[in-house]
Amino acid sequence: MGQFPTGVCVVALETEDGEIAAMTINSFVSVSLEPLLVCWSLHNDSGRFDLFAKAKRFSISILSSTQGEQAVAYASRADYNPRESDFDKSASGLPVVQGALATFECSAHTNHPAGDHTMILGKVTGISGGADDAAKALGFYRGEFVSVPEN
C-alpha cells in the first residue's frame, strides 16, 4: 500500500475531562455529498480505540506540508501529552489543528468493522479553511512525507 500516496490528517476530540485527544491518520476519504459524510479508519488494537470509536463528535484537520512535526507527534502509539498550542477551537468548540488547510467538524454517523480496522463515518456539520490556493498538502508516500502537489 506504500505505492499509493495518501493525504495526512489529524482527528481530534475533547474528552469528558476536557482534554484534547488527537491521532494522525492517512485513511481520510469523502463518502457522500447528501448527506455530507466522510470516513476514516481506526485500528482495532489502538490504545485509544474506545475513545475514538465511541466519540459523539470529532474534527478532522487536513495538514499542510509544513506540519510534519504535528503529524509525527500525533502518530505516536505511546501515551503523549497533546500540545494545546497546536490546536484552536472550531465554531462548535472542537479542537482543530492550527494552520490546517481545512477542517471538518463531524458528528458520529456509523461505524463498520473491516478486518483489523473499524471504518468510522462522520456527518460533516461544519467546514472551515481551504482559502489558501498556494498552500500545499502534507502527503505520505513510500514511507515518507511529501508535499502535494510536488512541483
Side-chain angles (χ1 to χ4, degrees):
M1 293 308 295
Q3 301 303 316
F4 183 69
T6 62
V8 181
C9 302
V10 169
V11 175
L13 55 83
E14 189 172 294
T15 68
E16 290 180 4
D17 299 333
E19 301 292 323
I20 295 171
M23 70 171 38
T24 300
I25 63 167
N26 69 338
S27 58
F28 178 64
V29 64
S30 172
V31 174
S32 170
L33 293 177
E34 189 57 45
L36 188 53
L37 299 175
V38 295
C39 179
W40 63 283
S41 296
L42 175 63
H43 198 285
N44 295 337
D45 289 338
S46 170
R48 295 172 270 182
F49 181 85
D50 284 342
L51 181 64
F52 283 91
K54 294 178 181 177
K56 301 276 189 240
R57 298 173 60 231
F58 57 88
S59 70
I60 299 174
S61 299
I62 299 174
L63 299 186
S64 77
S65 61
T66 64
Q67 295 179 305
E69 181 182 332
Q70 286 90 344
V72 170
Y74 302 112
S76 172
R77 293 179 191 249
D79 289 338
Y80 64 93
N81 296 315
R83 299 175 299 227
E84 287 194 28
S85 63
D86 283 345
F87 296 89
D88 283 327
K89 290 283 185 173
S90 71
S92 69
L94 286 167
V96 294
V97 176
Q98 285 185 17
L101 293 180
T103 61
F104 299 85
E105 299 168 72
C106 301
S107 60
H109 184 68
T110 56
N111 292 357
H112 298 280
D116 61 2
H117 280 70
T118 296
M119 296 168 46
I120 298 178
L121 274 71
K123 182 176 182 182
V124 177
T125 58
I127 300 172
S128 63
D132 185 356
D133 291 337
K136 294 182 178 184
L138 183 63
F140 195 69
Y141 179 60
R142 294 184 173 176
E144 296 180 350
F145 291 124
V146 296
S147 292
V148 179
E150 288 187 326
N151 293 331

